[in-house]
Amino acid sequence: MHRILIVTTGRKPLAGFAESLAQSQDVQVAWANSGQAAVADVMKHPPIGVIIDENLPDMPGLDLVRRLLRINAMINTVVISTLPPDAFHAASEGLGIMSQLPPQPTPEDARTILAHFKRMALTTVVPQRA
C-alpha cells in the first residue's frame, strides 16, 4: 500500500484531488493540519510522497520541506503554491521538490502526481523507522 500525506488546513479545496489519489486501490491518503503533525506522522509512517500547502499554521510549506529533508531526503515532496513558476523555482531551488501544484489541483493533477510518486517508489527504497 502506498501512503500519501497531504498537509493543509484547507481540506475542502483539496477534496476532489484527494479522492482522485485514493481511487487507486493501492493508495492510502492521510492528512495532517500542521507542519509539526506532518513531521510526527512521517516519523511513524513513511509515505511515498507528501503534498504540502504553502502556508501552514506553524510554518511555511517550504520550511516543512526542509525539515522532511533532514528526516529522510528520499521522501518525495510536492508543494501547493500561488507563486509564479519562476519565483517558486527560485524560492525552492535545492530542496528537491518534485512539482508545484495550484491552490485547487485537479483530478488530472492527482493522476500525474500519483504516477510520479509510484515511479519514484519503484526506484527508491525509503527506510522504515523502528
Side-chain angles (χ1 to χ4, degrees):
M1 176 74 63
H2 297 295
R3 189 166 192 281
I4 297 172
L5 179 63
I6 301 175
V7 188
T8 185
T9 56
R11 287 188 186 197
K12 192 172 184 177
L14 299 178
F17 174 79
E19 286 175 23
S20 294
L21 289 172
Q23 283 179 351
S24 181
Q25 293 180 0
D26 62 343
V27 171
Q28 174 195 20
V29 175
W31 297 85
N33 60 9
S34 69
Q36 290 294 350
V39 167
D41 188 276
V42 165
M43 296 289 285
K44 290 180 185 175
H45 312 284
I48 63 166
V50 181
I51 299 165
I52 304 166
D53 207 341
E54 68 184 332
N55 294 309
L56 301 171
D58 55 349
M59 68 184 73
L62 293 179
D63 285 355
L64 176 56
V65 172
R66 287 179 186 92
R67 287 187 183 197
L68 294 177
L69 278 170
R70 288 191 298 260
I71 294 168
N72 182 344
M74 302 310 287
I75 295 173
N76 298 299
T77 55
V78 172
V79 176
I80 298 167
S81 176
T82 57
L83 289 175
D86 289 344
F88 179 80
H89 177 74
S92 65
E93 191 167 8
L95 296 178
I97 295 171
M98 226 169 72
S99 183
Q100 174 186 9
L101 285 174
Q104 294 190 344
T106 66
E108 181 60 33
D109 292 326
R111 287 187 286 277
T112 300
I113 293 302
L114 183 57
H116 287 296
F117 280 164
K118 285 184 174 183
R119 188 171 46 253
M120 294 304 292
L122 290 174
T123 60
T124 305
V125 176
V126 177
Q128 300 293 315
R129 297 222 179 244

